[in-house]
Amino acid sequence: MSQATTNVMQSALKLFYAPIEDELKRAEQTLISELRNESPFVNELLEYGGQLGGKRLRPALLLLTAKAAGEVTPSHYTLAAVVEMIHTATLVHDDVLDEAAMRRHLATVNARWNNETSVLLGDYLFTHAFYLASTLETTFGCRRIGQSTNIVCEGELRQIGNRGNHALSEAEYFEIIDGKTAELCACACHLGAHYANADDAVVASMERYGRLLGMAFQIADDLLDLLGDESQTGKSLGTDLDKQKPTLPIIHTYQTLDGNERQEFVGLLESEDLQRHVAILEWVNRCQGLEYARKTAIEFTEQAREQLNCLKPSACRDVLSDITEFVVARSL
Amino acid sequence: MSQATTNVMQSALKLFYAPIEDELKRAEQTLISELRNESPFVNELLEYGGQLGGKRLRPALLLLTAKAAGEVTPSHYTLAAVVEMIHTATLVHDDVLDEAAMRRHLATVNARWNNETSVLLGDYLFTHAFYLASTLETTFGCRRIGQSTNIVCEGELRQIGNRGNHALSEAEYFEIIDGKTAELCACACHLGAHYANADDAVVASMERYGRLLGMAFQIADDLLDLLGDESQTGKSLGTDLDKQKPTLPIIHTYQTLDGNERQEFVGLLESEDLQRHVAILEWVNRCQGLEYARKTAIEFTEQAREQLNCLKPSACRDVLSDITEFVVARSL
């Protein structure tokens, strides 16, 4: 993907947000005012952290779902800020885990300060998000946010537990990304529809939409990590291979190969040769691992779009549909 | 403190818990059953993490306060498990920050596995605690837990921001430890009294008791870190000096010295000589820094005990009083 393509993508995303422009601004104000702190050091960290999240995809999903399924209420602005704070917390901690140096063309918190500052900043964001959720009238939001973030952590831990497990099945891989990525998208869409007083069936469909979109998003992200160019994506790449994290193109290649070829492929995955990336991609290409992963991501987006049929036609419904194409287009 | 003394202390703590033995067992069962997970890797981590907290001081404070101020209810068992989970999460993350290898005579999670596992295990515990708090009827518990844990993180971040700031005032130091340590004790006692339906004045006194106890506890902990013996306390020590964290004996020594002597002392604090510990202690002794810190800790415990006057006489009230002496005795 070229720099020009990236810019087109960013503009496309802005266009997507047009039907919720005012709502997104109000959620952003909540986020900014919640992330002020009297201590200059803490304040500087929070401002910096606030820039890392970037796309505001999760707040946008929450607000789009709300508007498409009913009405946007004050609770939605609070919850939009909450999901973005949670997402930023996981990014800050991910960058410690991945030992990443760059995120959205910025130095990561661990690179600019250090690991302990990153750990505590992530904790600060998590706990502030929980506090903010608890300012709503009922425990519903807290419960869903608590549960979802817990599932995210479980997914990330299971991913660590399966590092170097080249025989990981596709089903297990799906379970892991369902937890670590799809869960928070499902949560955002669920909360959006629930607090808009949508029917139970619509709420359930919106949650499924978010989950299926999140699955597609993560597969596309894995493809970007394997193929992308750091100067264009603005973040450290190739960390999945370095960390021996199984991803769909690699899993598919492993499952397609057998005997000596499989052994040779595993040898490359486990080798410490810095040049192995190219050789791994050759195997992946031979087994059509990239095409397979793209096809799978597209299937998830098709299923996601089906969930939107229960909504009345609206600009927001159209955007929810278009976003499914956008998340996969990133990795084409 | 000798090994024999440590054992006496541990037994004393068990005695303290006698009036809430059954309640503490029930809270422990909640904790254990909440920390089970289907993934064997995650389950192993949670079991291991469950052993790190150890003294169960915060659940005990919550239950003692409840029983001394009213009646223990099902909400208290949930909240006792919540505060212990939060405390364990902060310990697991602290051990990453301190690069500590030992905790309660066990290898820390980062030493046994690695930093990223520790970060995620801490996150798992935080998020599970929030979820558990949200299962209560109202948002009250969530709100207080969210707020308190956020203040804890802020205190820890401010501590990092003041690393190597030898001119930190005593007042600023108190603000930092109020956040990073006293807040969670205040929260435990507040929730204990609130959910026991105590009068507002009693609830406020119990919160103050917890805060003052926590202040004394942290000063004693700082003294232990400066003076203790790893084989006896069961955790990595001397990390405050290594990390240039200002603590009360050091702050007092700095404030007492002036001119060339102060410069010489700062030179030692900033030196990378592994033997500097002894020389630093000589300066601290000359300025009676240890006595000053002990005296200050004792003053906090006296103020803590005064808060108990609003309670009717009971075995639990006596224990709350005795605990104030216990936390300081650790460092004598």
Side-chain angles (χ1 to χ4, degrees), chain A residues 89-90 93 97 119 122-123 126-127 130 145-160 179, chain B residues 31-50 81-82 84-90 92-93 109 115-133:
Chain A
T90 64
H93 280 183
L97 313 191
V119 171
D123 290 352
F126 266 129
T127 55
F130 286 114
I145 292 282
Q147 204 169 28
S148 285
T149 48
N150 197 228
I151 290 171
V152 171
C153 296
E154 187 186 327
E156 295 230 36
L157 280 171
R158 284 184 62 184
Q159 184 172 58
I160 290 188
Chain B
L31 187 66
I32 290 170
S33 73
E34 287 294 331
L35 292 183
R36 280 199 194 107
N37 192 282
E38 276 180 26
S39 151
F41 177 64
V42 179
N43 202 50
E44 185 188 357
L45 286 172
L46 292 175
E47 269 184 17
Y48 197 81
V82 167
E84 186 62 17
M85 243 181 249
I86 295 275
H87 172 59
T88 307
T90 63
V92 170
H93 280 183
V109 177
N115 270 353
E116 56 189 325
T117 306
S118 298
V119 171
L120 288 171
L121 175 60
D123 290 352
Y124 184 97
L125 293 166
F126 266 129
T127 54
H128 199 83
F130 287 115
Y131 164 69
L132 194 55

Side-chain angles (χ1 to χ4, degrees), chain B residues 173 177 180-181 213-223 330:
Chain B
Y173 166 77
I177 66 170
K180 77 163 197 161
T181 308
L213 178 78
M215 298 294 285
F217 185 86
Q218 185 57 54
I219 296 170
D221 224 41
D222 286 355
L223 278 164
R330 293 186 312 146

Side-chain angles (χ1 to χ4, degrees), chain A residues 37 41 93 97 116 119-120 123-124 127-128 130-131 134 136 138-139 143 149-150 153-154 157 160 163, chain B residues 37 41 93 97 116 119-120 123-124 127-128 130 134 136 138-139 143 149-150 153-154 157 160 163:
Chain A
N37 193 281
F41 177 65
H93 280 183
L97 313 191
E116 56 189 324
V119 171
L120 288 172
D123 290 352
Y124 184 98
T127 55
H128 199 82
F130 286 114
Y131 164 70
S134 75
L136 298 178
T138 68
T139 56
R143 206 173 312 153
T149 48
N150 197 228
C153 296
E154 187 186 327
L157 280 171
I160 290 188
R163 186 168 295 161
Chain B
N37 192 282
F41 177 64
H93 280 183
L97 313 190
E116 56 189 325
V119 171
L120 288 171
D123 290 352
Y124 184 97
T127 54
H128 199 83
F130 287 115
S134 74
L136 297 179
T138 69
T139 56
R143 206 172 314 153
T149 47
N150 197 228
C153 296
E154 187 186 329
L157 281 171
I160 289 187
R163 186 168 296 162

Side-chain angles (χ1 to χ4, degrees), chain B residues 138-201:
Chain B
T138 69
T139 56
F140 185 88
C142 290
R143 206 172 314 153
R144 178 68 215 228
I145 292 283
Q147 204 170 28
S148 285
T149 47
N150 197 228
I151 291 171
V152 170
C153 296
E154 187 186 329
E156 296 230 37
L157 281 171
R158 285 184 62 184
Q159 184 171 59
I160 289 187
N162 282 294
R163 186 168 296 162
N165 173 15
H166 307 298
L168 187 80
S169 72
E170 200 177 284
E172 287 168 303
Y173 166 77
F174 286 153
E175 274 180 35
I176 289 172
I177 66 170
D178 190 339
K180 77 163 197 161
T181 308
E183 178 63 30
L184 198 55
C185 295
C187 170
C189 295
H190 179 191
L191 292 172
H194 173 90
Y195 281 90
N197 278 321
D199 290 346
D200 286 355

